[in-house]
Amino acid sequence: MRDAYQEQMAALNALLGEMCDTVGNEMERATQALLEADLELAEQVISDHDRLTERSAEAEEMAFELLALQAPVAGDLRTIVGGFQLVSEIDRMGALALHVAKVARRRHPFRVLPEEVAGYFTEMGRLAVELARNAHRVLESQDPQDALALMEDDDAMDDLHRHLFTVMMDRDWEHGVASAVDVTLLGRYYERFADHAVSIARRVVFQATGKTPEQLQEAG
């Protein structure tokens, strides 16, 4: 019985890791579509999103089976319930990549981003993809220290987001209100994508140790 539980839990974590790769790839393509005003690529991201929805349903079904068939208690129950929460976090990351692609599609054939901020989004896109891949690694390793390291990686995204606002608030901003709204929303999408990756790391820490990251750091 215990071996069956371990195998099913490993399969669930593997699926969740694959989903992290999927949302990372979605954000990578959505960022390219945004930067290059590539309508075809934006449409690909939008149409491929259904596949993530299917994988999310598959992951939830696996978690329900673990609940129903393994009658978990204590730490095992915490891990399975955490699995449902992880599906939700990854879903939201995919939805944010989808939002980016839809902005690129809505503004086509024009580029959404003024030249002054394009570099920020190039770097934010790179960081978002890296965070998604690191989330996969954390889910695979279930190592609290890996998870804590991922949480620190989010600081760079926060810094970029703050600097982006500095550019928009400058008196020399010449691109109007509509452009400022687009840039503000897009910046928020990338920031939230990173936040959900951090939430994945926090949940892995709690699943593995029964403590929050703050409690774990205090104990250390």
Side-chain angles (χ1 to χ4, degrees):
M1 181 71 76
R2 186 67 188 172
D3 288 345
Y5 166 78
Q6 295 289 357
E7 289 175 6
Q8 288 176 283
M9 198 66 234
L12 175 57
N13 282 330
L15 176 54
L16 292 170
E18 290 173 15
M19 290 168 61
C20 285
D21 285 344
T22 296
V23 298
N25 291 337
E26 283 188 8
M27 185 57 96
E28 186 171 38
R29 291 184 296 155
T31 301
Q32 184 180 345
L34 182 70
L35 292 167
E36 300 176 6
D38 189 327
L39 179 61
E40 182 177 351
L41 195 54
E43 293 284 10
Q44 282 181 14
V45 174
I46 293 165
S47 62
D48 289 351
H49 186 71
D50 287 344
R51 178 59 179 156
L52 179 65
T53 303
E54 293 171 3
R55 299 293 272 174
S56 295
E58 184 180 342
E60 287 183 340
E61 184 175 344
M62 291 173 70
F64 275 122
E65 286 181 1
L66 279 163
L67 277 175
L69 300 179
Q70 301 296 340
V73 295
D76 292 347
L77 181 60
R78 182 175 67 233
T79 300
I80 295 170
V81 171
F84 287 107
Q85 296 167 327
L86 289 166
V87 172
S88 177
E89 299 290 354
I90 300 168
D91 264 345
R92 290 171 184 170
M93 293 168 76
L96 290 161
L98 181 65
H99 291 335
V100 173
K102 286 183 174 179
V103 172
R105 181 177 69 176
R106 185 170 67 247
R107 296 303 186 197
H108 187 269
F110 303 105
R111 290 181 185 270
V112 179
L113 301 173
E115 192 64 33
E116 295 97 312
V117 299
Y120 287 90
F121 284 93
T122 298
E123 182 62 9
M124 291 169 83
R126 185 193 68 78
L127 285 171
V129 174
E130 184 178 306
L131 283 163
R133 289 173 179 162
N134 287 345
H136 181 175
R137 189 184 71 247
V138 165
L139 286 165
E140 188 173 282
S141 71
Q142 293 291 299
D143 186 329
Q145 295 306 316
D146 282 349
L148 292 171
L150 185 155
M151 293 173 62
E152 293 176 1
D153 292 341
D154 179 50
D155 292 344
M157 183 71 84
D158 289 339
D159 288 343
L160 284 166
H161 191 237
R162 282 192 295 269
H163 292 157
L164 189 62
F165 272 95
T166 301
V167 174
M168 285 191 299
M169 295 302 291
D170 191 284
R171 67 180 64 185
D172 293 330
W173 180 262
E174 301 175 344
H175 306 287
V177 173
S179 178
V181 170
D182 280 343
V183 171
T184 299
L185 285 173
L186 286 163
R188 182 62 172 159
Y189 295 154
Y190 284 89
E191 183 197 33
R192 290 299 298 151
F193 187 97
D195 287 346
H196 288 301
V198 168
S199 292
I200 290 171
R202 291 182 65 87
R203 295 188 190 286
V204 168
V205 169
F206 185 70
Q207 287 176 13
T209 68
K211 298 179 179 179
T212 67
E214 293 77 15
Q215 291 170 331
L216 194 65
Q217 289 171 328
E218 287 175 8

